[in-house]
Amino acid sequence: MFDYKSVFEEFMLRVNTQNAIAIWWALGLSDDKEMTTREKFSEFKFFFEYAMTRNRIIEYDLKNKRAIFSGDEPAVVVDRIFADFPIDQLSDYGGDREKIFLGYMYTKFDGWAVLNEGTTLCIPD
């Protein structure tokens, strides 16, 4: 997995308008053959939590076009954003190469937005 923490600001600029699959790839999760699908997804979610604690990712309601400031802990927010992730339908290993995973990740672009410089809101494309 890519060490995004050491170059966090630069990494956030690279993924600021990306959908879930592009972030997954940028994190290098698809390259790791040792971790289980659950472990990879856990690392993926931890990235979102980490970015939320640094005020770079916020929860965002795409339908109503507004940020959500619930006051919930980042882990709770991330669980809410990815509550529909089909983890139980994926293989223990290599699940991130299966159709159901790819279909979800290519189309998952709602639930969060990235804040750049604290003034620009970047919604995933």
Side-chain angles (χ1 to χ4, degrees):
M1 186 167 148
F2 180 71
D3 179 20
Y4 58 86
K5 291 178 186 176
S6 65
V7 291
F8 184 67
E9 293 302 318
E10 177 186 318
F11 186 78
M12 290 306 299
L13 288 173
R14 287 187 11 222
V15 300
N16 66 7
T17 60
Q18 300 301 312
N19 64 1
I21 194 70
I23 296 171
W24 184 274
W25 290 336
L27 291 169
L29 291 167
S30 59
D31 300 330
D32 193 307
K33 307 300 184 228
E34 302 291 318
M35 285 195 293
T36 66
T37 304
R38 285 185 188 276
E39 290 169 332
K40 289 179 183 185
F41 186 57
S42 179
E43 289 294 329
F44 179 75
K45 288 175 26 176
F46 183 76
F47 160 74
F48 275 82
E49 291 174 36
Y50 183 85
M52 284 180 183
T53 62
R54 278 140 188 85
N55 296 315
R56 293 303 306 278
I57 288 182
I58 61 169
E59 188 173 15
Y60 189 80
D61 180 345
L62 188 61
K63 180 181 175 189
N64 294 312
K65 298 182 179 170
R66 65 178 180 86
I68 300 170
F69 298 102
S70 65
D72 293 334
E73 292 294 318
V76 172
V77 174
V78 172
D79 283 343
R80 187 167 44 241
I81 292 170
F82 294 103
D84 57 346
F85 185 76
I87 191 69
D88 292 330
Q89 299 173 37
L90 300 172
S91 301
D92 290 340
Y93 287 91
D96 55 344
R97 292 186 299 275
E98 295 176 7
K99 285 182 183 180
I100 193 162
F101 171 86
L102 294 170
Y104 176 89
M105 294 297 268
Y106 272 110
T107 59
K108 182 66 173 180
F109 55 87
D110 60 325
W112 75 91
V114 174
L115 285 174
N116 281 339
E117 303 296 326
T119 60
T120 304
L121 191 62
C122 300
I123 311 301
D125 293 330

